[in-house]
Amino acid sequence: MALLDVSGVTLRYKTSSAVVTATERVSFTVDKSDRFVLLGPSGCGKSTLLKAVGGYMRPSEGRMTIGDREIHGPGADRMMIFQEFDQLLPWKSVLANVMFPLLTARKLSRRDAEAKARAYIEKVGLTRVVDAYPHTLSGGMKQRVAIARGMAMEPDILLMDEPFAALDALTRRTCQDELLQLWSETKFTVLFVTHSIAEAIRIGNRILLLSPHPGRVKAEVIDVDKVSNEDGSAGRLEKEIHDLLFAGEATGH
Ligand SMILES: Nc1ncnc2c1ncn2[C@@H]1O[C@H](COP(=O)(O)OP(=O)(O)O)[C@@H](O)[C@H]1O
Ligand SMILES: [Mg+2]
């Protein structure tokens, strides 16, 4: 059985003047230990889908289950990591930020929460700034703290919404490598959103392509591991995905 089952999910925003269909009947399943990527251009409903899986938005059609539980609201079994660098609490140190949800969940004593927080801060290589405050950290370091905070909760699935998109290219690359390194240690499950084809291929073992207005599934899920074990295959796959995403569209020339 899949860990996450998103089945025929339509998500709409109702504003005072209009109804926007962000995604229409989107279905996919994520297995345990998948690095599952939602890939598509801006406006195809990636963030909306992630919000819904996070329990912050109810579908107008379809259903979502995690394990055998229907998703009705937010839960500690799903931790979200965003693109923005301001997702940390500015008045708390790195350690206190990572401890915060552990304490709020009330499952651990303060001492156990601190030990767990320190262990995850070490995993992301930030032990030397454990007592620092967010405003003293670089963007990449802030994202590492957010990742440590999410992972320390040991959720069933990590939800990552373009977590590296606002970083410079070199830092982004390092953060991608570190995420993969962490994954190889603990084989956590991640649902990762990006609009970058190259990032999708680097991060994902499976990729779902979405098209915009309204957000729909564009092609079958791509099994990256099956195609990317030969030389030069990443480049070929990148072109293939580009063609799938933009099939049927005028080139503008
Ligand atoms: N709060 C909102 N109110 C109304 N429409 C929204 C809101 N958030 C997103 N949308 C619309 O929903 C669609 C999908 O947006 P989004 O999920 O942010 O896409 P993506 O993350 O793929 O760029 C877009 O057409 C967007 O304009
Ligand atoms: Mg988005």
Side-chain angles (χ1 to χ4, degrees), residues 208-227:
L208 183 73
L209 305 187
L210 298 166
S211 60
H213 309 302
R216 290 199 181 103
V217 173
K218 183 86 180 185
E220 290 289 297
V221 170
I222 294 169
D223 193 330
V224 179
D225 293 339
K226 271 200 190 133
V227 282

Side-chain angles (χ1 to χ4, degrees), residues 106-125:
R106 292 173 183 276
K107 282 189 193 142
L108 297 178
S109 68
R110 178 163 276 278
R111 175 194 288 222
D112 289 347
E114 178 169 340
K116 181 157 277 184
R118 285 186 185 278
Y120 279 93
I121 289 167
E122 187 177 352
K123 273 188 199 295
V124 298

Side-chain angles (χ1 to χ4, degrees), residues 87-152:
Q87 60 192 304
L88 304 175
L89 300 168
W91 62 88
K92 285 185 185 288
S93 69
V94 166
L95 179 63
N97 263 285
V98 178
M99 283 175 68
F100 184 69
L102 291 167
L103 293 173
T104 310
R106 292 173 183 276
K107 282 189 193 142
L108 297 178
S109 68
R110 178 163 276 278
R111 175 194 288 222
D112 289 347
E114 178 169 340
K116 181 157 277 184
R118 285 186 185 278
Y120 279 93
I121 289 167
E122 187 177 352
K123 273 188 199 295
V124 298
L126 290 183
T127 297
R128 75 199 155 81
V129 293
V130 72
D131 295 317
Y133 285 83
H135 75 273
T136 64
L137 305 178
S138 67
M141 290 162 104
K142 287 181 195 169
Q143 293 311 78
R144 288 182 182 92
V145 178
I147 290 168
R149 182 174 62 180
M151 289 189 72

Side-chain angles (χ1 to χ4, degrees), residues 228-246:
S228 64
N229 288 324
E230 324 146 30
D231 284 348
S233 59
R236 270 204 305 282
L237 186 56
E238 203 166 326
K239 179 169 185 325
E240 201 177 301
I241 289 176
H242 183 274
D243 292 348
L244 281 167
L245 279 174
F246 299 102

